[in-house]
């Protein structure tokens, strides 16, 4: 008989999306076996969680490890990026496979499996971004959903001449995905109009990073969000808008949205920073105004937002400098995976903007439900994977690129003081990170085939 791995977490306060209570949690092998008060069990390993919240491991359903983009690659690998996530309480990512035009979706998926398999430290699943919808790719959708564990896809309404697809492709794509029980997510910005604005700006010699934001105005996002919601209604398809920065009206339809930590916490004043500093925040959509942040916090509390993700897509400053003379060549994206859980606690819960239950819903339960991982992931319940974070709400830290684990030479939150820290992160019952020290390494992460989209979740 193989020896069981048993672990008892004592005296913690379990926080889920709906409840909060004192309990011990007993883990057998990779799963949560028992939850209860003063458990009398024989455990090989015991963790004292006095004073800590016990949260389900965070799920960041929007990341781009090693993304080939704008002539370079995102600087975190599956190894460095998922490990940084584990340091900050994120145990699972759902990363975006990107189809190269002319290639099949299946071969793109295989390439991403190669990058992640044997490398990722945390668990991972994949969405597939469809950049070339045709009869051949259409024929692949069912198999991907039913046999390959990929029920979610992405389409770009922006990045004209690169990743963007037109309305007809979008329409066909959402119909096909819906037919087999999947979910389409979209990057909603009007790529055609942005292309004109960028050309006009460059022609006037307006080339510094701040013009990135000025050439991607809120209207382009509002128009594309409205358009995709209407198209989805017409197609009878559920739709999910990624990295939403502003509010879009919705009728009674399954239109879901996520926002990202940066849109809640940072605003467009960073684009006026000295010299090339603004390049650190060049991402799409760009950062908006403070008033938009308030609307997003409200959206969270009104149950209009399903998840807070990061769109983690880091580039070193050397890479950002590809656009030193022309903002449109600055690789779009910023690092974020490591501090999502802690920042949302510090700025959200500690400042009274959201409850602890809402925090857990945004960082774990919401993404698990939307993306077919619930209840294996995203909650603390008997039978769920023992992905558990011991979160110390009293511990303070200062964020810095000097101490973070992401492979990026700057932090978008440099010098921010944060209240609350992930003390210990467990992944499938194994201590992954304890007090800032990694206990597992390369290849520990497993691929997570996911279930079909469940509209009743
Ligand atoms: O600026 C961003 N968001 N970069 C990553 C690609 C994307 O659009 O999600
Ligand atoms: Zn995007
Ligand atoms: Zn993204």
């Amino acid at each position: 008989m193989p020896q069981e791995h048993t672990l008892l977490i004592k005296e913690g306060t379990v926080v889920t999306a709906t409840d909060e209570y004192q309990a011990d949690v007993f883990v057998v092998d990779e799963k949560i076996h028992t939850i209860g008060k003063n458990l009398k069990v024989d455990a090989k390993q015991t963790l004292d969680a006095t004073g800590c919240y016990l949260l389900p491991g965070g799920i960041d359903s929007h990341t781009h490890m090693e993304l080939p983009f704008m002539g370079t690659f995102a600087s975190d690998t599956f190894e460095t990026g998922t490990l940084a996530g584990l340091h900050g309480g994120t145990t699972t990512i759902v990363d975006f496979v990107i189809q190269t035009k002319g290639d099949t979706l299946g071969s793109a998926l295989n390439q991403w499996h190669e990058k992640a398999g044997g490398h990722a430290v945390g668990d991972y699943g994949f969405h597939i971004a469809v950049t070339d919808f045709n009869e051949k790719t259409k024929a692949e959708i069912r198999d991907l959903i039913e046999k390959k564990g990929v029920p979610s896809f992405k389409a770009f309404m922006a990045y004209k001449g690169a990743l963007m697809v037109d309305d007809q492709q979008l329409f066909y794509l959402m119909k096909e995905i819906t037919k087999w029980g999947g979910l389409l997510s979209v990057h909603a910005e009007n790529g055609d109009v942005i292309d004109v604005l960028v050309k006009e700006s460059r022609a006037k010699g307006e080339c510094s990073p701040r013009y990135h934001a000025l050439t991607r105005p809120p209207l382009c996002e509002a128009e594309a969000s409205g358009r995709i919601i209407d198209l989805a209604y017409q197609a009878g398809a559920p739709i999910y808008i990624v990295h939403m920065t502003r509010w879009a009206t919705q009728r009674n339809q399954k239109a879901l949205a996520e926002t990202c930590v940066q849109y809640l916490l940072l605003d467009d004043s960073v684009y006026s920073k000295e010299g090339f500093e603004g390049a650190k925040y060049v991402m799409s959509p760009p950062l908006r105004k403070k008033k938009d942040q308030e609307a997003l916090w409200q959206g969270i509390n009104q149950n209009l937002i399903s998840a807070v993700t990061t769109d983690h897509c880091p580039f070193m400053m050397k890479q950002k400098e590809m656009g030193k003379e022309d903002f449109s060549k600055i690789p779009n994206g910023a690092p974020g995976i490591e501090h999502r859980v802690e920042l949302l606690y510090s700025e959200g819960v500690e400042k009274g903007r959201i409850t602890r239950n809402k925090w857990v819903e945004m960082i774990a339960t919401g993404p698990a439900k939307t993306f077919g991982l619930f209840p294996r992931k995203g909650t603390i319940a008997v039978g769920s994977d023992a992905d558990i974070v011991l979160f110390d709400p009293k511990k303070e830290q200062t964020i810095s690129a000097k101490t973070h684990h992401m492979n990026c030479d700057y932090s978008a939150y440099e010098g921010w003081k944060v209240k609350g820290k992930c003390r210990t992160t467990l992944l499938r019952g194994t201590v992954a990170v304890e007090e800032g020290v990694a206990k597992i390494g390369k290849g520990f992460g497993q691929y997570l085939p996911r279930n079909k989209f469940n509209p009743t979740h």
Side-chain angles (χ1 to χ4, degrees):
M1 271 280 279
Q3 283 270 302
E4 273 177 339
H5 160 66
T6 52
L7 181 149
L8 179 64
I9 309 171
K10 284 195 74 63
E11 307 284 342
T13 301
V14 174
V15 186
T16 70
T18 47
D19 300 299
E20 182 168 320
Y21 53 91
Q22 288 278 172
D24 299 341
V25 178
F26 183 51
V27 173
V28 176
D29 292 333
E30 300 197 330
K31 303 282 182 191
I32 296 173
H33 182 279
T34 321
I35 303 172
K37 282 222 162 171
N38 304 316
L39 292 181
K40 300 277 174 283
V41 288
D42 205 8
K44 293 204 180 84
Q45 193 180 1
T46 304
L47 295 175
D48 179 5
T50 308
C52 284
Y53 297 124
L54 301 184
L55 324 171
I59 299 172
D60 192 342
S61 55
H62 190 152
T63 67
H64 300 282
M65 305 304 171
E66 304 174 44
L67 174 72
F69 192 41
M70 298 183 72
T72 186
F73 288 84
S75 57
D76 257 321
T77 61
F78 277 87
E79 182 182 351
T80 60
T82 55
L83 184 55
L86 288 163
H87 276 275
T90 289
T91 48
T92 295
I93 62 167
V94 190
D95 201 85
F96 287 91
V97 171
I98 312 277
Q99 175 197 23
T100 308
K101 282 195 191 335
D103 198 4
T104 64
L105 302 180
S107 113
L109 178 62
N110 290 342
Q111 286 167 37
W112 259 255
H113 272 301
E114 291 276 306
K115 296 186 212 204
H119 296 273
V121 191
D123 285 357
Y124 58 96
F126 293 122
H127 317 278
I128 301 183
V130 182
T131 61
D132 190 2
F133 186 78
N134 52 45
E135 282 306 314
K136 219 158 120 197
T137 48
K138 181 180 174 193
E140 293 185 270
I141 303 277
R142 180 181 186 179
D143 196 54
L144 289 165
I145 295 173
E146 294 188 343
K147 302 220 175 82
K148 300 283 176 12
V150 181
S152 50
F153 298 80
K154 180 175 179 181
F156 292 89
M157 299 170 81
Y159 305 126
K160 188 175 168 65
L163 307 174
M164 182 170 141
V165 291
D166 63 26
D167 285 356
Q168 193 174 67
Q169 292 192 64
L170 275 170
F171 197 60
Y172 275 134
L173 185 57
M174 58 183 134
K175 274 174 170 283
E176 192 60 23
I177 290 169
T178 306
K179 187 164 155 191
W180 304 113
L183 176 67
L184 179 66
S185 67
V186 283
H187 174 133
E189 286 186 296
N190 186 317
D192 280 314
V193 172
I194 288 168
D195 188 54
V196 174
L197 297 179
V198 168
K199 283 181 179 143
E200 285 175 355
S201 207
R202 281 162 54 192
K204 284 190 257 172
E206 297 167 343
C207 292
S208 66
R210 74 193 204 93
Y211 291 101
H212 170 75
L214 294 173
T215 54
R216 306 185 88 100
L219 191 99
C220 285
E221 187 181 348
E223 185 281 329
S225 306
R227 177 162 33 110
I228 195 66
I229 288 171
D230 285 345
L231 294 181
Y233 188 72
Q234 180 63 38
I239 196 79
Y240 181 94
I241 300 179
V242 293
H243 48 47
M244 195 185 64
T245 72
R246 308 192 77 241
W247 206 240
T249 45
Q250 297 174 2
R251 58 172 85 80
N252 185 17
Q253 72 185 96
K254 203 73 190 171
L256 308 171
E258 70 175 27
T259 191
C260 305
V261 186
Q262 59 271 28
Y263 300 119
L264 290 164
L265 303 185
L266 303 172
D267 65 77
D268 65 356
S269 60
V270 295
Y271 296 118
S272 314
K273 282 182 182 234
E274 282 286 288
F276 197 58
E277 276 290 286
K280 293 178 176 172
Y281 307 92
V282 166
M283 61 185 75
S284 296
L287 299 168
R288 305 294 189 197
K289 305 272 178 225
K290 281 210 181 307
K291 68 172 169 46
D292 298 310
Q293 296 174 354
E294 289 318 310
L296 290 174
W297 286 110
Q298 277 172 29
I300 289 176
N301 283 320
Q302 291 165 1
N303 301 324
L304 298 170
I305 289 183
S306 310
V308 176
T309 64
T310 60
D311 195 2
H312 178 77
C313 190
F315 296 99
M316 297 286 191
M317 283 313 284
K318 206 86 235 110
Q319 295 174 287
K320 290 276 182 186
E321 278 166 18
M322 291 163 66
K324 192 113 203 175
E325 308 302 328
D326 175 355
F327 71 89
S328 70
K329 298 201 166 56
I330 300 171
N332 285 204
I337 191 169
E338 189 164 346
H339 298 110
R340 177 184 69 125
V341 172
E342 293 164 344
L343 278 167
L344 206 64
Y345 178 81
S346 190
E347 295 293 317
V349 179
E350 274 289 320
K351 294 197 171 163
R353 289 168 162 143
I354 54 172
T355 63
R356 282 192 285 276
N357 302 114
K358 190 47 108 174
W359 171 49
V360 170
E361 184 188 332
M362 291 297 102
I363 57 163
T365 318
K369 286 186 170 176
T370 303
F371 293 114
L373 288 167
F374 189 83
R376 175 174 174 192
K377 306 278 190 190
T379 194
I380 294 189
V382 171
S384 294
D385 279 5
D387 298 351
I388 301 172
V389 179
L390 279 65
F391 186 88
D392 183 346
K394 297 229 159 54
K395 191 123 184 164
E396 295 186 10
Q397 59 171 321
T398 303
I399 295 179
S400 173
K402 292 196 189 80
T403 48
H404 74 199
H405 300 85
M406 298 176 285
N407 187 37
C408 191
D409 53 4
Y410 76 91
S411 168
Y413 307 93
E414 187 68 37
W416 279 48
K417 294 204 181 339
V418 175
K419 183 118 192 271
K421 193 164 174 34
C422 299
R423 194 179 87 191
T424 307
T425 305
L426 300 183
L427 174 56
R428 284 179 277 105
T430 296
V431 174
V433 173
E434 191 163 35
E435 304 275 11
V437 180
K439 304 284 183 182
I440 57 171
K442 189 174 173 163
F444 190 91
Q446 286 183 359
Y447 173 63
L448 300 169
R450 293 174 295 118
N451 297 325
K452 286 185 181 182
F453 176 62
N454 181 347
T456 64
H457 263 157

